[in-house]
């Protein structure tokens, strides 16, 4: 028995809707995720929202990983809008340095390896002096390069600047969850990529709560050579969570 034309048309319409719905799962990886809260925003718009939110946070923790010719570098940072900051900076074989900044005053504490590495750049330093200063809080000298390097980690703009100049190139990817062992573990995030010929970056932007930047990785592109070309990974966490910084005693 032949179905009426109107029934066939309805069936065809339903089948077409099913095909279109299925096709939504076949979009390329760089297509906007329709389920994400940023579906109506462009890649640059989402990225600029993330930059603004991360800059506006009253406090933030950062875990930074990169490398130098002397070995891997890791930094654990807590910083706030008042300028208070703590940094633990490990520089491979060069050793470890801790920095505390509060009320405009900076104090540092270094292990023996860091003190010996610093003596190469700043002139001879006897074993007795290294032993005397190891583990002690001191006010760094004006030419202390290790202290200046550690204090730069206090400024979140140092790292936001890895993507901010090329935020207009951002392309949205899919919504994922960060690795379960990361600082922002379990927070759903939108993947975004961008960059220029000399440096490419990828970022994860929170899709729950404020659009904070959760993770950033910048690496040299095809034209990336020279100083500062090493890959850098930064994980941001504990936004707006206050912390107490006490000036250590010498």
């Amino acid at each position: 028995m032949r179905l009426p034309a109107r029934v066939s048309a309805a069936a065809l319409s339903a089948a077409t809707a099913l095909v279109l719905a299925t096709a939504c799962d076949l979009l390329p990886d760089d297509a906007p995720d329709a389920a994400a809260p940023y579906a109506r925003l462009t890649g640059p718009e989402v990225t600029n929202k993330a930059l603004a939110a991360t800059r506006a946070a009253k406090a933030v923790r950062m875990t930074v990983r990169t490398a130098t010719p002397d070995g891997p570098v890791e930094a654990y940072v807590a910083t706030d809008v008042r300028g208070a900051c703590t940094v633990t900076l490990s520089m491979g074989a060069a050793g470890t340095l801790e920095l505390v900044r509060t009320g405009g005053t900076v104090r540092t504490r270094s292990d023996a390896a860091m003190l010996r590495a610093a003596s190469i750049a700043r002139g001879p330093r006897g074993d007795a002096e290294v032993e005397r200063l190891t583990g002690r809080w001191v006010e760094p000298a004006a030419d202390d390069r290790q202290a200046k390097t550690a204090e730069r980690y206090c400024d979140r703009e140092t790292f936001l600047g890895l993507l901010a100049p090329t935020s207009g190139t951002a392309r949205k990817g899919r919504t994922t969850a960060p690795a379960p062992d990361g600082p922002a573990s379990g927070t759903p995030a939108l993947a975004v990529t961008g960059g220029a010929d000399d440096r490419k970056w990828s970022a994860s932007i929170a899709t729950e709560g404020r659009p904070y930047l959760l993770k950033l990785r910048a690496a040299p592109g095809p034209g990336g050579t020279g100083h500062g070309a090493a890959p850098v990974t930064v994980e941001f966490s504990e936004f707006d969570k206050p912390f107490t910084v006490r000036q250590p005693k010498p």
Side-chain angles (χ1 to χ4, degrees), residues 195-200 219-230:
D197 287 342
D198 62 337
R199 183 169 288 271
K200 303 292 185 182
T225 59
H227 177 70

Side-chain angles (χ1 to χ4, degrees), residues 141-230:
D143 63 345
D144 190 325
R145 292 193 302 173
Q146 281 84 357
K148 288 183 178 295
T149 296
E151 191 173 4
R152 280 199 295 270
Y153 282 71
C154 291
D155 185 1
R156 69 191 82 173
E157 196 62 38
T158 298
F159 306 105
L160 298 182
L162 295 171
L163 70 80
T166 55
S167 63
T169 66
R171 297 182 64 193
K172 294 192 292 183
R174 291 192 177 278
T175 301
T176 60
D181 57 348
S185 60
T187 304
L190 177 70
V192 181
T193 58
D197 287 342
D198 62 337
R199 183 169 288 271
K200 303 292 185 182
W201 54 262
S202 59
S204 297
I205 299 171
T207 58
E208 290 183 354
R210 299 199 66 189
Y212 290 124
L213 185 65
L214 301 180
K215 187 172 183 178
L216 167 66
R217 187 179 189 277
T225 59
H227 177 70

Side-chain angles (χ1 to χ4, degrees), residues 231-247:
V232 180
T233 300
V234 187
E235 295 179 81
F236 302 85
S237 62
E238 299 187 56
F239 298 95
D240 289 325
K241 183 176 180 179
F243 61 96
T244 301
V245 181
R246 294 183 176 87
Q247 188 175 131

Side-chain angles (χ1 to χ4, degrees), residues 47-132:
T47 304
N48 289 330
K49 284 176 69 72
L51 287 169
T54 305
R55 287 177 176 133
K58 294 179 180 179
V60 66
R61 274 64 164 180
M62 298 182 291
T63 301
V64 185
R65 295 182 177 88
T66 185
T68 70
D70 297 323
V73 175
E74 291 187 341
Y76 302 93
V77 185
T79 182
D80 67 17
V81 294
R82 302 169 301 165
C85 179
T86 64
V87 181
T88 300
L89 177 64
S90 297
M91 302 179 67
T96 299
L97 177 148
E98 296 172 81
L99 178 144
V100 170
R101 185 176 73 186
T102 178
T105 300
V106 175
R107 293 287 187 272
T108 60
R109 179 169 66 179
S110 304
D111 63 9
M114 181 67 77
L115 290 168
R116 291 193 178 95
S119 70
I120 297 173
R122 299 174 55 205
R125 173 176 281 160
D127 289 342
E129 187 176 3
V130 169
E131 183 176 352
R132 180 178 67 86

